[in-house]
Amino acid sequence: MAANAHCVELDVLEKELNTNFKTGLTDEQVEVNREKYGVNEMAAEPATPLWVLVLKQFEDVLVIILIAAAFVSFVLAFFEEGEEATTAFVEPFVIILILVANATVGVLQESSAEAAVEALKEYDSPHAAVYRNGRLKNLDATELVVGDLVELSAGDLVPADIRMVQRMSSSFDVAQELLTGESKNVEKRVMVVEKDAQLQDKKNVLFSGTTCTRGKCSGVVVAVGNDTEKGKIGHELSKESQTDTPLKKKLDEFGYYLSIAIGVICVVVWLINIGHFSDPAFGGTWKGAMYYFKIAVSLAVAAIPEGLPAVVTTCLALGTQRMAAKNAIVTVLPAVETLGCTNVICSDKTGTLTTNQMSVQAVFVVGEGERIVHLEVEGDTYAPAKPDNSPFALSEEDGSVVQHPVCEYAGLEKAALISAMCNQSSIAYNAEHKRYEKVGQSTEAAMKVMVEKLGVPDKKRHDAMRGLSQTERSMACSHFWEERYEPVVTLEFDRDRKSMGQLVRDRDGGGDVLLVKGAWDNVLSRCSSVYVSDTQRVPLSAELKGRLVEKIEEYCSGKNSYRCLAMAFRDDLPFSSDELKEVKSERFGEYESDMCFVGVVGILDPPRKEVAAAIERCKTAGIDVIMITGDNKATAIAICRKIGIFEEEEDATGKAFTGAEFKKMSEEEKSRNVLRARCFARVEPIDKKDLVAALHKHNKVVAMTGDGVNDAPALKAADIGLAMGSGTAVAKGAAEMVLADDNFTTIVAAVEEGRNIYNNTKQFIRYLITANIGEVVAIFITAVTGLPEVLLPVQLLWVNLVTDGLPAVALGFNRGEEGIMEQAPRPHDEAIVSGFTFVRYFITGCYVGVATVGGAVWWYMYYEHGPQVPWDELFEWARCDPAHDTVSCDVFKDNTPGTIALTILVTIEMFCALNSLSEKQSMFSPYGHPFTNLYLIVAMSISFGLHFVILYVPVFAKIFSVVPIGWDEWLAVLVLSFPVILIDEVMKFVVRISENMALQKRLAARKAL
């Protein structure tokens, strides 16, 4: 059907698709059409094949070198004789096994990373306004089927290929450059087009994935999923690209330089020992050379964490899922890292700093004797009535409740008509969440709710509303007006005239009426009279206009800070509906003139209760918050005081600007003022982009919120674009993160989570690098001093598998660092390891190496049950001569000192893992003790358990050349290992003092500002 949908008449299409262009599909028809035409989902991208993931694990040069070493060892094993002939094959076999184990871990990590990233795509599925069983519902786009009747408005993403059925505005434009390459927006019409029309010429079809930019229409779904034009093109339209995150690039760069450094050390180790190649202990120069070659290569592989990139990607991807649980949907992984650097949050007021539960709190009309009638309206949600369906109260200034408002005051009846018909939004009852929700814009939804609170002039119908279900009650009064008036032409809102018009026709033959609502100053300036009743209209005199303006300013300022919209109409029309349909939007203001003023509604979107605390956290964290709003400057400043951006008595001069004031500034003035600015009022989308540019000149990392089509440039320009979950598809497409609940506190929580994710990654790296430095130092010490080798190649590889495995992964589950939101944002270009961080790693790593070698030396020289080898003989062990030395040369074949060294290395690295629970909090504090991460306790237990297996199970002890050790040896292991905790405690103390000083300095500077 999709191929010919553009060239058939609507009545034919309606019949062929088994649908109804007024009520949509029934539930039964939905199932039939879904079975016939399929679901609205694209074919999933194929996952990376398992064999590709496996091969990737062996691409690393060092791994290839290790495989070569294993092969050489295997060949040499054929030339061994006696008992060594059997054990010689053990080493290459174990190396291969460990390589396979490492590859398995890498495959699992990369698979989980892919799965986690794919899961992110499911969090933000587009929605569509669909008629089902005669009612308009907000459904996930994937639930659409061919034949569904869909409503689309400016800012919506077209969810499927749709044939236009009715254009509900004077024009309807779509941006489809992604599909057709057309740089300009395309106007869509209902008319039939030729069968062989090109894609660009199908003016009556809205294509999936394109964006509505102007107007409103209804249409029928004619193709879904892979049958859409977008589906046919496939990957070409995908904006997603698999690029390395900045953190991964930094890690790759760090790993590259680390590889060079380790490579140099390995060569030095091998060259230093050239003189020992022919020592008697090796039984030949070639065997000695190969022994040290394997030591050098094993050291390199043990020192460089090859699986780090996959682990980091997994950590980031899983972190974004944790953020999603907090209503922050990250769509691009690099955004997680950037969040931790954010030092300026530019937040829209409406819905983000406020509840976005807009409601009409007050309304006034003009009554008899030109008296201004003011009513307070009860309720601050989208509920049209109280839970028991009893009406909300409307009270006059003296507190008296008006029982039937639209019958009491004619102006309220006219206000109800305008609010109901000059409105493109609706209210729906969500049975699952048991609440009323808006479908459309918040302001219009608030006016629709007011219609329900005002009631209807038909008293019998008014009283019957108490017996309606929640679903029926949601729009009962609006339906009353829709039954009496037919929409004819819509004059869409634009920012020039700041109003919207709706031409309606009385279904009883009463003629056409142009209903208008919009910004009070613009509407009032185009009015010439004031409505009192159907039989009385009074001229808009200067005196009456002055009183109206005074009342409106009372609404707009002070404690109220209402958003005020005026209502007016025109019924003596000097133009026809056909003429109005052809008018360009630039001339809408000419037709919305000489109007009759009806009244003003005061709409309030109250600040979220939790926002003030969140802003205070931002101040402590070194993050500036700038509020952006379309409200006037006085209202904006009042809101800023309520939520804590400004103190109660703080002078806002030089800190609050309007968009017009900002535009008039020179570049130098913008650059200077933007550092102190905390509030921008009467802002247009282009101003937001200029604000980002001015902040970037000071190297600020900016997070910018937005929800409209025109917000996309600013969202793209910002370092972090934050789209509202209730916003347009265009805004979401331009953003790096979507706020599912539109809440400012979610931004702050996401920044905190971003900092925690980066911090956990640093802890993971710290743990690995400290262990690797320790292994390098241990091997280097034995190489340059001539001591017996304390760690064999297979032992190094074992340590690499055990210590870089489960404990390292478990560190990714560290809970958030205490006080992390008291730290200043980190620089965006901060190196992974630099300055004090490197010194800290190096000091701890050096101790790891010294303690490992020290354990073996203790057994040789000082252990009372040991051989107590003299110093000079120990350092010349490879030239041992039984005729002259005081100890037997067989002492140096004993595996006990190597076992002690290996056990110290494993134990000390487990202690290092405990140190990595927190970067600055003491292990003995409530915030850094071991039980803050139970995953690490389990991982350490498994690691120690595996180590006990190789020590006390004979077959494994033989493979790894170790022996069981007793209580005395274990005591020595603990004594030599524990100081690494004390060393790190000193380092943490230094960090805490340094950060506390920095915090006090930052708060003092902010207070001075």
Side-chain angles (χ1 to χ4, degrees):
M1 190 64 242
N4 300 319
H6 62 283
C7 62
V8 299
E9 296 294 341
L10 288 176
D11 56 344
V12 176
L13 187 64
E14 183 177 25
K15 184 176 180 181
E16 291 190 9
L17 295 181
N18 188 30
T19 186
N20 185 301
F21 286 168
K22 291 184 178 180
T23 61
L25 297 173
T26 63
D27 291 337
E28 293 77 12
Q29 290 171 325
V30 167
E31 295 305 320
V32 171
N33 284 11
R34 181 176 287 125
E35 183 70 24
K36 184 176 181 180
Y37 298 105
V39 296
N40 191 30
E41 291 180 312
M42 299 290 185
E45 296 250 355
T48 306
L50 179 62
W51 65 270
V52 173
L53 289 177
V54 172
L55 288 180
K56 281 179 66 177
Q57 310 309 313
F58 296 95
E59 290 177 351
D60 191 89
V61 175
L62 292 170
V63 174
I64 294 173
I65 293 174
L66 186 63
I67 292 173
F71 176 76
V72 172
S73 298
F74 187 77
V75 172
L76 291 177
F78 282 102
F79 299 95
E80 295 290 348
E81 298 177 354
E83 185 180 344
E84 292 185 358
T86 302
T87 58
F89 287 99
V90 171
E91 186 172 292
F93 180 70
V94 171
I95 291 175
I96 295 299
L97 277 181
I98 291 177
L99 279 174
V100 170
N102 274 327
T104 302
V105 172
V107 168
L108 291 174
Q109 287 171 341
E110 292 201 28
S111 298
S112 64
E114 283 191 5
V117 172
E118 285 299 315
L120 293 178
K121 300 176 183 178
E122 300 177 5
Y123 280 107
D124 187 35
S125 178
H127 285 70
V130 188
Y131 281 95
R132 292 275 178 89
N133 301 308
R135 294 192 176 277
L136 189 63
K137 296 183 177 181
N138 196 21
L139 300 179
D140 192 295
T142 58
E143 295 184 37
L144 290 181
V145 297
V146 170
D148 263 325
L149 185 65
V150 178
E151 273 195 8
L152 293 167
S153 301
D156 288 342
L157 187 72
V158 180
D161 282 1
I162 294 173
R163 165 73 188 275
M164 184 182 285
V165 172
Q166 180 186 6
R167 194 165 71 176
M168 304 162 75
S169 55
S170 59
S171 61
F172 188 86
D173 297 346
V174 173
Q176 56 186 39
E177 67 273 13
L178 287 175
L179 189 67
T180 64
E182 296 165 282
S183 58
K184 294 183 179 179
N185 293 341
V186 179
E187 184 176 1
K188 296 291 183 177
R189 298 181 181 275
V190 179
M191 62 183 184
V192 174
V193 298
E194 296 179 359
K195 183 175 182 179
D196 56 352
Q198 297 295 315
L199 206 61
Q200 294 91 333
D201 298 326
K202 294 181 179 180
K203 302 295 186 182
N204 58 3
V205 178
L206 286 62
F207 299 109
S208 176
T210 60
T211 305
C212 308
T213 58
R214 178 189 287 274
K216 183 177 182 179
C217 79
S218 65
V220 62
V221 175
V222 294
V224 294
N226 291 333
D227 293 330
T228 63
E229 295 297 331
K230 177 182 176 181
K232 294 173 185 176
I233 294 173
H235 302 298
E236 293 179 21
L237 277 180
S238 176
K239 75 179 182 71
E240 311 262 345
S241 59
Q242 296 298 322
T243 56
D244 287 343
T245 68
L247 177 59
K248 186 176 183 299
K249 290 176 181 177
K250 289 178 185 178
L251 290 174
D252 290 342
E253 181 182 8
F254 174 73
Y256 171 75
Y257 289 116
L258 182 62
S259 299
I260 294 175
I262 296 300
V264 170
I265 292 175
C266 289
V267 172
V268 170
V269 167
W270 194 74
L271 292 176
I272 286 176
N273 285 281
I274 286 179
H276 293 284
F277 289 175
S278 57
D279 286 350
F282 302 122
T285 303
W286 175 248
K287 291 183 180 180
M290 284 306 303
Y291 177 78
Y292 283 108
F293 170 72
K294 288 184 289 184
I295 287 288
V297 173
S298 298
L299 171 62
V301 175
I304 301 173
E306 296 87 5
L308 185 59
V311 175
V312 169
T313 302
T314 303
C315 181
L316 291 176
L318 294 178
T320 57
Q321 289 191 23
R322 290 199 299 271
M323 293 170 74
K326 299 179 180 179
N327 294 314
I329 317 300
V330 175
T331 59
V332 184
L333 279 183
V336 178
E337 304 160 40
T338 310
L339 276 169
C341 310
T342 301
N343 46 33
V344 178
I345 298 175
C346 298
S347 175
D348 288 329
K349 174 187 76 76
T350 303
T352 308
L353 296 170
T354 57
T355 62
N356 202 24
Q357 286 274 324
M358 279 193 163
S359 60
V360 175
Q361 296 288 294
V363 58
F364 77 77
V365 294
V366 178
E368 297 291 339
E370 299 183 9
R371 179 174 72 92
I372 295 178
V373 179
H374 161 79
L375 295 176
E376 296 284 342
V377 183
E378 186 183 10
D380 56 5
T381 68
Y382 292 126
K386 294 179 180 179
D388 62 354
N389 256 359
S390 60
F392 284 111
L394 277 79
S395 308
E396 296 199 51
E397 290 185 85
D398 61 3
S400 60
V401 176
V402 180
Q403 297 298 329
H404 200 166
V406 293
C407 293
E408 191 78 22
Y409 297 103
L412 291 179
E413 180 179 346
K414 192 67 72 173
L417 169 63
I418 296 171
S419 299
M421 300 304 299
C422 188
N423 198 318
Q424 295 183 332
S425 297
S426 60
I427 302 298
Y429 182 71
N430 187 322
E432 181 180 351
H433 296 102
K434 296 183 179 180
R435 67 187 182 200
Y436 290 93
E437 297 177 346
K438 66 180 176 68
V439 179
Q441 298 298 319
S442 301
T443 305
E444 291 193 330
M447 296 187 74
K448 273 287 177 76
V449 174
M450 184 190 73
V451 174
E452 303 303 317
K453 294 177 179 179
L454 290 174
V456 295
D458 184 332
K459 191 173 187 307
K460 182 177 180 181
R461 189 161 175 177
H462 178 84
D463 294 338
M465 289 185 183
R466 289 200 179 203
L468 300 179
S469 67
Q470 285 95 337
T471 302
E472 293 169 330
R473 183 64 188 88
S474 61
M475 295 276 288
C477 295
S478 292
H479 290 157
F480 172 87
W481 296 110
E482 289 167 3
E483 291 168 7
R484 282 155 179 74
Y485 291 88
E486 175 189 1
V488 181
V489 182
T490 301
L491 306 185
E492 295 84 4
F493 174 88
D494 65 49
R495 293 182 180 276
D496 293 327
R497 74 185 203 286
K498 292 185 170 59
S499 62
M500 171 194 171
Q502 178 71 57
L503 185 71
V504 297
R505 181 166 297 156
D506 191 327
R507 297 182 189 270
D508 293 331
D512 293 349
V513 182
L514 180 61
L515 310 175
V516 177
K517 74 173 191 303
W520 69 266
D521 46 351
N522 291 58
V523 172
L524 188 61
S525 67
R526 286 180 269 143
C527 291
S528 58
S529 60
V530 176
Y531 180 82
V532 178
S533 68
D534 284 340
T535 59
Q536 184 183 4
R537 302 181 190 187
V538 298
L540 182 59
S541 63
E543 186 273 334
L544 179 55
K545 185 174 182 179
R547 289 197 291 122
L548 293 175
V549 171
E550 183 181 354
K551 187 65 177 179
I552 294 170
E553 288 179 344
E554 180 187 322
Y555 272 28
C556 293
S557 59
K559 65 176 184 178
N560 294 322
S561 300
Y562 293 148
R563 180 179 182 182
C564 293
L565 294 181
M567 298 166 288
F569 70 95
R570 185 177 186 181
D571 53 6
D572 54 336
L573 303 179
F575 49 83
S576 67
S577 59
D578 291 336
E579 178 186 343
L580 196 58
K581 288 178 181 178
E582 301 302 321
V583 173
K584 295 294 183 182
S585 60
E586 293 80 7
R587 297 185 57 206
F588 285 169
E590 298 175 20
Y591 292 81
E592 295 176 351
S593 60
D594 195 24
M595 296 186 295
C596 184
F597 177 84
V598 173
V600 170
V601 293
I603 301 174
L604 178 66
D605 184 12
R608 295 178 184 268
K609 296 177 181 178
E610 64 273 19
V611 162
I615 288 176
E616 188 59 36
R617 291 191 74 201
C618 287
K619 291 179 179 180
T620 306
I623 301 171
D624 295 327
V625 179
I626 299 176
M627 189 186 84
I628 299 173
T629 179
D631 293 335
N632 63 62
K633 191 173 179 178
T635 301
I637 292 174
I639 294 293
C640 283
R641 296 193 194 283
K642 287 182 179 180
I643 61 179
I645 291 179
F646 291 144
E647 300 297 329
E648 198 64 42
E649 303 298 327
E650 184 178 351
D651 184 4
T653 305
K655 300 176 184 178
F657 305 93
T658 64
E661 290 170 346
F662 193 63
K663 280 180 182 176
K664 292 178 182 178
M665 295 180 190
S666 65
E667 291 302 315
E668 182 180 348
E669 288 174 327
K670 285 181 180 179
S671 180
R672 183 175 63 253
N673 287 321
V674 78
L675 289 177
R676 300 185 71 233
R678 294 295 176 268
C679 174
F680 283 88
R682 292 293 189 196
V683 171
E684 296 182 358
I686 188 64
D687 300 327
K688 297 172 76 172
K689 186 177 179 182
D690 290 343
L691 174 59
V692 172
L695 289 166
H696 278 166
K697 290 182 179 179
H698 295 280
N699 296 318
K700 297 291 186 180
V701 180
V702 184
M704 172 68 76
T705 67
D707 59 0
V709 175
N710 293 332
D711 286 326
L715 294 174
K716 281 286 187 184
D719 300 278
I720 293 285
L722 306 169
M724 301 298 104
S726 60
T728 62
V730 179
K732 295 177 185 178
E736 286 79 20
M737 191 170 86
V738 177
L739 304 180
D741 60 355
D742 297 3
N743 196 334
F744 178 80
T745 56
T746 300
I747 303 175
V748 181
V751 170
E752 182 176 12
E753 188 65 37
R755 290 187 177 191
N756 283 328
I757 291 171
Y758 188 84
N759 193 61
N760 283 351
T761 305
K762 280 182 63 178
Q763 294 300 88
F764 171 77
I765 296 168
R766 166 191 171 192
Y767 167 64
L768 287 178
I769 301 307
T770 299
N772 295 338
I773 291 174
E775 293 168 8
V776 171
V777 169
I779 299 300
F780 193 75
I781 288 175
T782 57
V784 298
T785 60
L787 285 169
E789 296 299 330
V790 296
L791 294 170
L792 301 177
V794 291
Q795 293 173 344
L796 278 173
L797 289 167
W798 169 256
V799 171
N800 192 35
L801 178 64
V802 173
T803 59
D804 294 0
L806 291 174
V809 173
L811 287 173
F813 293 92
N814 279 355
R815 77 178 188 181
E817 184 79 58
E818 183 70 20
I820 199 165
M821 289 298 281
E822 295 177 0
Q823 302 172 19
R826 62 180 174 83
H828 192 257
D829 56 352
E830 178 186 73
I832 293 294
V833 181
S834 62
F836 177 73
T837 303
F838 176 76
V839 172
R840 183 177 180 178
Y841 293 178
F842 186 75
I843 291 174
T844 307
C846 284
Y847 180 78
V848 173
V850 170
T852 300
V853 176
V857 172
W858 168 80
W859 185 87
Y860 278 119
M861 298 182 63
Y862 304 110
Y863 182 38
E864 61 178 339
H865 299 298
Q868 300 186 349
V869 181
W871 182 270
D872 56 338
E873 292 182 21
L874 180 61
F875 282 85
E876 293 292 333
W877 70 275
R879 296 188 176 92
C880 180
D881 185 351
H884 301 94
D885 290 348
T886 58
V887 296
S888 170
C889 294
D890 291 337
V891 167
F892 301 112
K893 296 180 182 180
D894 196 317
N895 290 329
T896 304
T899 303
I900 292 174
L902 177 63
T903 304
I904 288 175
L905 184 60
V906 171
T907 304
I908 209 168
E909 290 187 7
M910 293 301 102
F911 285 163
C912 284
L914 292 175
N915 287 336
S916 299
L917 282 167
S918 172
E919 186 175 10
K920 64 178 182 179
Q921 298 296 334
S922 170
M923 187 192 300
F924 307 104
S925 74
Y927 309 109
H929 64 79
F931 291 99
T932 58
N933 185 345
L934 295 179
Y935 292 101
L936 182 60
I937 300 297
V938 173
M940 289 174 56
S941 300
I942 294 174
S943 295
F944 264 126
L946 292 173
H947 188 65
F948 275 101
V949 168
I950 70 167
L951 288 185
Y952 298 106
V953 176
V955 62
F956 292 110
K958 186 173 184 179
I959 291 173
F960 287 97
S961 300
V962 294
V963 295
I965 57 176
W967 290 109
D968 291 340
E969 288 91 343
W970 270 110
L971 181 61
V973 166
L974 294 175
V975 168
L976 288 169
S977 300
F978 188 77
V980 77
I981 292 178
L982 302 180
I983 292 171
D984 204 66
E985 285 295 313
V986 174
M987 301 291 184
K988 289 179 178 179
F989 178 76
V990 172
V991 171
R992 289 197 299 273
I993 294 297
S994 175
E995 288 189 357
N996 186 57
M997 292 175 62
L999 174 62
Q1000 297 304 320
K1001 184 177 180 181
R1002 190 169 68 252
L1003 293 177
R1006 181 180 292 276
K1007 188 175 181 180
L1009 181 65

